[in-house]
Structures are given as C-alpha cells and as structure tokens.
Amino acid sequence: MKLDWLHLGTLVACAHILGVIAACHAILHTRTSQGAIAWAVSLIAMPYLTLVPYLFLGYSRFEGYVDSRCAEYESIQKQRLGLVTNINIQSNTLNSIPVDRLGLQTIHALSLLARMPFSIGNHVRTLVNGEATFAAIFNAINSARHYVLVQFFIIRADMVGDMLRDALLAKAAQGVQVHLLYDGIGSIDLPIAYISALRIGGVQVHAFTTNRRFVNRFQLNFRNHRKIVVVDGECAFIGGHNIGIEYLGGKPSLSPWRDTHIEVRGPVVKQIELVFVEDWFWATQQLPCTTPSVQPHGGNMNCQVIASGPADRQETCLLFFVAAIHAARERIWITSPYLVPDEAIFAALRIAVMRGVDVRLLIPSSRDHIVAFAASRLYAHDMVHAGIQVFRYRPGFLHQKVVLIDCVAAAIGSANLDNRSFRLNFEIMLLTVDFRFATEVAAMLEADFALSDPVQANEYAQTPAWQRIAMHVARLFSPIL
C-alpha cells in the first residue's frame, strides 16, 4: 500500500512539474494574454486534466510553413516575386473612383497586410447557394484544357463528392493535370477507397496535415479551411461551400443551407492560384505545372487576395476585419455562421456605431456546433447592448462569409468572425472594390435580412438561467472556437 501511494505521489509530482513547464511554454508562445493566463493557470492547477489538451490544442503558431515557402524551387520563387512586387500602388493604376471612395491609404495598408498588390482588370460574380456554385465549378472543370487545382476543407464521399470524383477522373483521363488537396482533419472520414480511386485514375491527391514539423505533430488546430478551385489559371472559385450533400440542403436539420461562393476571372486568379501552390508545396514538396500570368479579363474590378494563416508574422485575418470596419463610413455588414470575435473586433464595431455607421451582423438561428452556437448567443446579446444590430437568419443554416463596406467594396471567402479564423486556420478572402459588385452583394444581403429576425435587447434576461450559464461556460472556450 505504501508503495502504491509512493507511485501515485510520484506521478502527481511529475504531472505538476510538466504542468509548470507547459505553463511557461504557454506564457512565452500563446498569442493573447487571455489565452496565456487561461492555459497557465489550468496547467499549474490541474495538469493531469489539461496537459493532454494542451498538447493537441495549445500551440499557437504553425511552424515550418514560411521555411517551406523560402525553400521553394526557383520557378515558384519567380512566380511569387512577380505577383507580390509593386505593392506601393499609385492611385492612377487602379479604377480610381471606387478606390478613392474606400481610401488609398486603406488600399495600401491591405496590400502590405496581404503581401500582394491590388489587381486590376478582373471580373467577379456571386454564386448564391449550392446549386449555382457546384454547377459553375463543374462546368469550369469540364472545360479545363491544361490543369485543375482543387482544395477543400471538407470532402464527403456522398452524391456531391462522387460528382467531384467523376469530374476529376474524366479530366485526368483526357491528360489534364489534376491536383486535389483536402484538410486531414476536416475530411477525416473521407474513405481510403475514395482517395485510391482518384490516384489510380491519375489524380494527384494529398492531405494538408501538420506533421511535417515535430512541433506541429500533435496539433488539432492549424486547419486549412480554404476552399479553392482554379482551372487553367483563367478562372477561380472561392467561398463558403465545401463538398458535401448538406451544401445542397441534404441535411434536414440544417436545410435550406445558405451559402455564397464567387467566380473570379482576370489577373487576380494567379494570386489565388499562388495560395494553392504554396499549400500544395507544404503538403507534397512538389510544384504543380501552371501557366504564366493571364492578361486582364476585360472587367474593371479592383481585387485583393487576403490569404491568412497561423504562419503569418501578423494576425492577417483579424487585421483585415479591423481595417474593413474602420474603413466604413456608411455601413459595414458582416455575415458569419459563428460570432466569436475578440476584443479588437468588438471595439472596432462599437466605434463604428458611434461614428454613425450602419453596423449589421447576420448569423444563423440554427446550430451545427453546440459550443460555438452558445458562445455566439452571448456575444450577440453583448453587441446588441452596444448598439450593434444583430440578425438571425430564419429559414435554415447560414454559412456564408461576406463583408460589405459602404457601397464600394465587398469581401467573400472562407473566414468566419471567430478566433479560429483569426489565428488558427488558413483562410482566404477576396476583396473586390467596385460599385456594381458592391451593389449586387448589398441586394443579396438585403434579401437575407428580410428573412431574418433581429436579436432583441431583452432576450438575455428572458433566457432560462441554465442556458445563460451554458453560454458563459461556452464563451470560456472562445480562444479555440
């Protein structure tokens, strides 16, 4: 018995020693002071409960991705340099009227933030919901002549997944180079048989995983949340849709699914392509064969790719949202399935309200993640009390990620209004500075608001006590939601 107690005491002592070491690591490496304090206190006080979660969730920076970029072959280095130079933009190089309206200083700041310049001569169109999105993507894939680059966070082996598989196999059979990248955790239930069929048919398939560097090996964070399709370097698709039947309304509890994608043509396609190429190189240490830069498409839209992730030296995604909110003079409308902002976003929205800006947030009324939904409810109540208008989309689950700035600019892509997108996920957004496109996006969002209910200031007081407690507990997990 004495020996057993001795062993138990030794294990507890070792756990506390490891907890102190891990707490020191958290203090040195966690990006936010709130997160550092939360990890440090829990690791020291309850190491036997928090050491394992910290191993999988605690690291806040993705190691090796930038080194991989620096080690890229000479060809991609040249391609990257050609796409990221001339960031010091002159106003006469862009369509000056909408740019002046947004502010040349904002344009310049976003170019430095994104590490790529604004591109002119582009055309962007919205694809509302799954039917339009998948029809456009599959039509583009079917017309491919040289190569197809496909990347999704989630790929399911259902009806939509089978359509993608068959389309890619058909192009590979025609001699088209086909590359498919999926996230290793987001698509964790993708059957091996599905992947094998693609590889046998000539499609190059790889998972985006974290384990190329030991310090990332155990991390469940650092997911690649991007959704990218590029065909022949001439057209690209990004947005909120993944590959699965639920994006066509096939999941009754979340149907109808509300989402938005965009189709992009013009020189900015090569910047979107570069984002895929860098992710592919991380996953495979190989480079896909691509074409030279394309000429302006005939459109006059100014576009900016904002690719962000945990390997960035700055919190690119968070700073983009802050810059967009501060740039607004008349309105800032944001739609997101998850409302778990940090204090910088909350402060920027409150200041916007004080400036007289029409601030509206659109979130779902149904849930797909219990904890994130509970935290979102509490943040929604806090924002309403600060004068921010928050609406819940009534018909089904809302998954689109859209930012509208005044009547001049709109951004659509994969980033949510939560800490996971700000700091933990690889994301991509496309900012389009164009009056016509902003008007089109505004009309789309007005239709969504018409199908939504405003969050009332007295809702929190009328919420049962146990739900309020659950909401506050859920908010404790906001750094990883």
Side-chain angles (χ1 to χ4, degrees):
M1 181 64 69
K2 291 183 178 180
L3 187 60
D4 291 338
W5 280 109
L6 179 63
H7 286 165
L8 180 60
T10 302
L11 289 175
V12 171
C14 290
H16 279 277
I17 292 172
L18 291 174
V20 171
I21 295 172
C24 293
H25 182 275
I27 292 171
L28 291 173
H29 295 285
T30 303
R31 292 195 182 192
T32 65
S33 58
Q34 299 94 328
I37 292 171
W39 278 119
V41 170
S42 60
L43 285 165
I44 293 172
M46 300 177 294
Y48 22 84
L49 298 179
T50 54
L51 275 171
V52 173
Y54 184 73
L55 180 67
F56 287 95
L57 301 172
Y59 210 77
S60 61
R61 186 170 292 279
F62 190 74
E63 298 291 344
Y65 189 89
V66 175
D67 296 337
S68 176
R69 176 188 294 166
C70 294
E72 289 166 359
Y73 299 128
E74 184 179 353
S75 58
I76 187 58
Q77 287 283 27
K78 290 180 178 179
Q79 179 185 8
R80 180 173 178 81
L81 290 174
L83 292 173
V84 303
T85 53
N86 301 320
I87 287 179
N88 291 315
I89 299 171
Q90 302 297 321
S91 60
N92 58 6
T93 64
L94 299 173
N95 188 352
S96 60
I97 297 176
V99 166
D100 290 346
R101 182 70 175 273
L102 184 63
L104 192 60
Q105 289 182 327
T106 298
I107 298 289
H108 180 67
L110 289 175
S111 297
L112 293 176
L113 178 65
R115 305 175 304 281
M116 284 190 280
F118 266 73
S119 172
I120 62 173
N122 303 287
H123 178 75
V124 182
R125 74 179 180 110
T126 56
L127 301 168
V128 179
N129 290 328
E131 293 82 357
T133 296
F134 294 131
I137 288 175
F138 291 137
N139 284 339
I141 291 174
N142 292 337
S143 66
R145 305 181 308 277
H146 306 294
Y147 60 90
V148 178
L149 312 176
V150 179
Q151 176 177 358
F152 285 99
F153 175 62
I154 296 172
I155 300 177
R156 303 199 191 282
D158 56 18
M159 182 188 76
V160 180
D162 290 347
M163 292 170 61
L164 176 66
R165 179 199 60 202
D166 295 344
L168 297 182
L169 287 174
K171 298 314 294 185
Q174 297 172 12
V176 174
Q177 295 294 315
V178 181
H179 299 77
L180 176 63
L181 187 65
Y182 62 93
D183 185 80
I185 297 297
S187 302
I188 194 169
D189 58 350
L190 188 63
I192 295 177
Y194 185 98
I195 300 170
S196 299
L198 287 167
R199 288 177 175 161
I200 292 172
V203 177
Q204 298 188 51
V205 186
H206 287 276
F208 186 97
T209 59
T210 62
N211 58 11
R212 276 194 48 223
R213 290 287 291 269
F214 180 79
V215 293
N216 302 325
R217 180 169 297 275
F218 302 106
Q219 291 300 304
L220 297 178
N221 289 324
F222 311 140
R223 304 319 331 152
N224 199 312
H225 195 240
R226 294 167 180 156
K227 296 91 173 166
I228 297 173
V229 176
V230 178
V231 176
D232 293 339
E234 297 176 355
C235 70
F237 302 86
I238 64 173
H241 290 90
N242 288 294
I243 299 297
I245 193 65
E246 64 265 39
Y247 297 88
L248 285 173
K251 190 172 183 179
S253 61
L254 299 175
S255 182
W257 189 282
R258 176 70 186 90
D259 221 327
T260 299
H261 236 68
I262 51 175
E263 178 182 349
V264 186
R265 295 182 181 270
V268 78
V269 169
K270 299 303 290 186
Q271 295 185 5
I272 297 172
E273 180 178 283
L274 175 63
V275 177
F276 174 93
V277 168
E278 291 185 340
D279 287 348
W280 183 265
F281 188 82
W282 164 264
T284 69
Q285 290 296 284
Q286 297 176 351
L287 292 171
C289 295
T290 59
T291 58
S293 298
V294 298
Q295 298 301 313
H297 183 69
N300 62 351
M301 296 183 181
N302 307 302
C303 294
Q304 170 73 72
V305 171
I306 299 100
S308 60
D312 298 348
R313 293 180 179 176
Q314 303 187 75
E315 294 171 339
T316 304
C317 186
L318 172 67
L319 292 177
F320 162 71
F321 275 96
V322 171
I325 295 167
H326 284 314
R329 294 297 175 265
E330 300 167 0
R331 65 182 171 190
I332 181 76
W333 295 355
I334 302 174
T335 73
S336 173
Y338 314 112
L339 180 60
V340 192
D342 72 350
E343 186 56 36
I345 296 293
F346 196 6
L349 292 171
R350 293 199 302 267
I351 290 294
V353 170
M354 295 176 189
R355 295 199 313 266
V357 176
D358 177 12
V359 180
R360 301 188 198 179
L361 303 179
L362 182 60
I363 59 176
S365 60
S366 55
R367 68 188 186 196
D368 68 335
H369 295 293
I370 296 175
V371 179
F373 183 79
S376 293
R377 289 185 63 191
L378 187 56
Y379 279 108
H381 296 315
D382 290 344
M383 290 191 170
V384 169
H385 281 285
I388 300 165
Q389 302 176 75
V390 183
F391 296 82
R392 294 195 184 100
Y393 186 71
R394 191 170 55 250
F397 186 69
L398 179 131
H399 191 253
Q400 62 176 335
K401 305 94 166 52
V402 180
V403 179
L404 178 66
I405 308 170
D406 295 338
C407 60
V408 65
I412 298 175
S414 66
N416 299 312
L417 203 66
D418 62 10
N419 185 69
R420 181 161 292 279
S421 285
F422 296 156
R423 298 185 175 94
L424 300 176
N425 284 346
F426 290 87
E427 306 282 5
I428 185 169
M429 299 288 285
L430 183 76
L431 177 67
T432 301
V433 183
D434 181 78
F435 288 129
R436 184 199 62 79
F437 185 73
T439 300
E440 179 183 335
V441 172
M444 177 184 74
L445 295 183
E446 285 170 351
D448 292 334
F449 283 122
L451 298 173
S452 304
D453 299 317
V455 176
Q456 302 296 333
N458 61 352
E459 283 189 16
Y460 179 80
Q462 297 176 353
T463 302
W466 70 269
Q467 290 188 16
R468 280 182 278 170
I469 294 172
M471 289 156 57
H472 282 274
V473 171
R475 189 160 68 174
L476 295 176
F477 294 92
S478 59
I480 59 173
L481 292 179

